[in-house]
Each structure stands twice: as C-alpha cells, then as structure tokens.
Amino acid sequence: MAHSAVQRFYRYHAYFYDSTRWMILHGRRRAAQRLGLRPDCTVLEIGCGTGLNFPYVLEQLDARRGRVVGLDFSADMLRQAEKRVRARGWTNVELVQGDATQLRLGTKFDGILFAYSLTMIPDWPRAIQCAGEHLKPGGRLVVLDFGRFAGWGPLGAVMRGWLRANHVETLRPYVETLRKSFPSLEVFDWFGGYNFTAVGQKQGS
Ligand SMILES: C[S@@+](CC[C@H](N)C(=O)[O-])C[C@H]1O[C@@H](n2cnc3c(N)ncnc32)[C@H](O)[C@@H]1O
C-alpha cells in the first residue's frame, strides 16, 4: 500500500509525539466534555493518534457499558496508542487502522471526535460526510482543531505557514462546511483563533 505524506510524517513523529505535542495541542478535556456523553455511550475518535484524548473520553464512561473506538491510518501512531491502552489496562478501547475518508465500520456511535486531525486530511469534506454517516440520530460530533489565528496580527501568517509545513491546513472553510450538515453547530474560539471547537448534533432522536 502506498503511504500518504502524513503517514510518512508520523512514522518518525510517533516516537516523540507525546513528549512534544503537549506544548501546542490544547483543549482536549473541554472538547471531550462537549460530546455530552452518558456512561453507556459509544465514541469514535477519528485520527486518534497515540490516544491522548482517551482519558478525557473514558472519564465520562462506565468501564463496562461505555466503549471507545480509536481510528487512525498510521500504524506507527496506533502502536503508541496500543501501548497506552495496555499500560492503563483499558478493556473498553478498540483500535482500528483505517482511513477517515473511507470509513465503513458497520456501526453507529453516540459521539464522534476529531481532535487536531481534520486539518490534516486533504479530502476533509469526505471525512466529515463519513463521520456524519457513522453518527446515531441525536449523537454529537465534536471537532477540535487549529483556528485561523485571526487575532494574531502578522504572527498569524507565521503560525499558519509553520502548520502548513507540518501538513496542517488552517484556512479551509471547516466551520462553514460542518454547518451545512449540522445546522445547529456551536463554535467556540480560543486565544485569538489559536484553536476552535465545533459541536454539532445529528438531527433526529
Ligand atoms: C495531530 S495528530 C492528532 C492525534 C490525536 N487526535 C491527538 O489529539 O493527539 C493527527 C492524527 O490524524 C491521523 N490522520 C490524518 N489523516 C488521516 C486519515 N485520512 N485517516 C485516519 N487518520 C488520519 C494521523 O495519522 C495522526 O495520528
């Protein structure tokens, strides 16, 4: 299988991801809380990486009734996630290797989380569509990701350029596109557009 540039990027970054990303990736617990979970919910994290968000999702779930599926297309990141799951003794976390733009998991979830993954996916509209198809009616989709740094003046362009060099594209119309599928979308911006959290609910109950 041919690997994408992002998969190649994480081949090496997987090893020092956890020790470096705490400096730049913020808002995890708050985003997980915005999933509005009950103890028996099932949650899919798309682009779960090494599993840094799992603790914040799992703290809302009952260990026997709630369940988390972490999906990522990088075998290297999933290996780190697997180590975390084993070390913590989590028995209700399943890891799946797959592409966010070709999801066919055969099941629907109460909550779906993208945390700092959507902006790395070239065909991100397709990833949003796939996520919507895997959400139960009434279920919530939460997207936490880098914003446009609108309040950062000239430094905003520097940040956007640096992220682009690291496969992260911040200027696409993520919120506008999400709103088409989730008309009641709520959006929370943080620190002058450093990051945003978008929360959508699938219609129906
Ligand atoms: C910046 S990391 C975020 C990891 C984790 N969600 C976090 O908050 O630390 C982005 C992750 O998205 C994954 N990813 C990017 N494109 C993907 C795709 N098309 N399908 C599945 N995973 C993807 C990468 O492999 C990587 O693990």
Side-chain angles (χ1 to χ4, degrees):
M1 184 180 89
H3 284 101
S4 77
V6 172
Q7 281 167 308
R8 285 196 301 275
F9 177 78
Y10 281 115
R11 167 140 275 175
Y12 303 104
H13 279 258
Y15 297 98
F16 47 90
Y17 186 89
D18 290 2
S19 57
T20 52
R21 293 330 196 258
W22 62 270
M23 288 182 259
I24 54 169
L25 305 184
H26 304 287
R28 298 176 181 287
R29 172 170 272 135
R30 194 95 178 91
Q33 287 170 345
R34 291 192 196 280
L35 287 164
L37 300 171
R38 297 179 316 274
D40 61 347
C41 279
T42 56
V43 178
L44 171 66
E45 181 177 355
I46 299 180
C48 67
T50 63
L52 286 173
N53 301 300
F54 293 164
Y56 306 119
V57 174
L58 288 169
E59 68 188 8
Q60 303 176 66
L61 301 180
D62 180 283
R64 278 164 310 214
R65 294 180 299 145
R67 200 167 64 86
V68 175
V69 174
L71 176 126
D72 206 290
F73 72 173
S74 161
D76 302 278
M77 292 295 263
L78 284 178
R79 251 192 302 279
Q80 302 300 322
E82 178 66 45
K83 282 188 202 161
R84 185 184 308 282
V85 170
R86 249 187 284 122
R88 303 284 186 102
W90 292 323
T91 53
N92 56 341
V93 178
E94 185 189 342
L95 300 173
V96 176
Q97 187 174 10
D99 189 325
T101 63
Q102 292 169 37
L103 274 193
R104 224 172 284 131
L105 296 178
T107 181
K108 296 194 182 206
F109 296 84
D110 299 293
I112 297 186
L113 175 66
F114 285 91
Y116 296 103
S117 52
L118 193 63
T119 55
M120 298 191 88
I121 302 177
D123 192 1
W124 55 275
R126 176 83 191 123
I128 293 173
Q129 190 191 331
C130 286
E133 288 166 4
H134 282 74
L135 203 53
K136 290 183 190 171
R140 282 196 201 169
L141 174 80
V142 172
V143 176
L144 165 66
D145 221 312
F146 288 108
R148 296 178 179 183
F149 298 86
W152 283 52
L155 206 53
V158 176
M159 291 300 286
R160 290 191 297 273
W162 175 70
L163 287 167
R164 192 170 296 127
N166 286 282
H167 305 281
V168 175
E169 181 51 64
T170 56
L171 289 182
R172 300 181 189 129
Y174 300 108
V175 166
E176 297 78 354
T177 303
L178 282 162
R179 192 161 275 130
K180 286 187 193 144
S181 303
F182 302 92
S184 62
L185 194 78
E186 283 187 283
V187 182
F188 306 89
D189 280 309
W190 184 72
F191 206 49
Y194 183 97
N195 70 23
F196 71 93
T197 307
V199 185
Q201 185 157 27
K202 185 159 172 171
Q203 281 162 343
S205 57

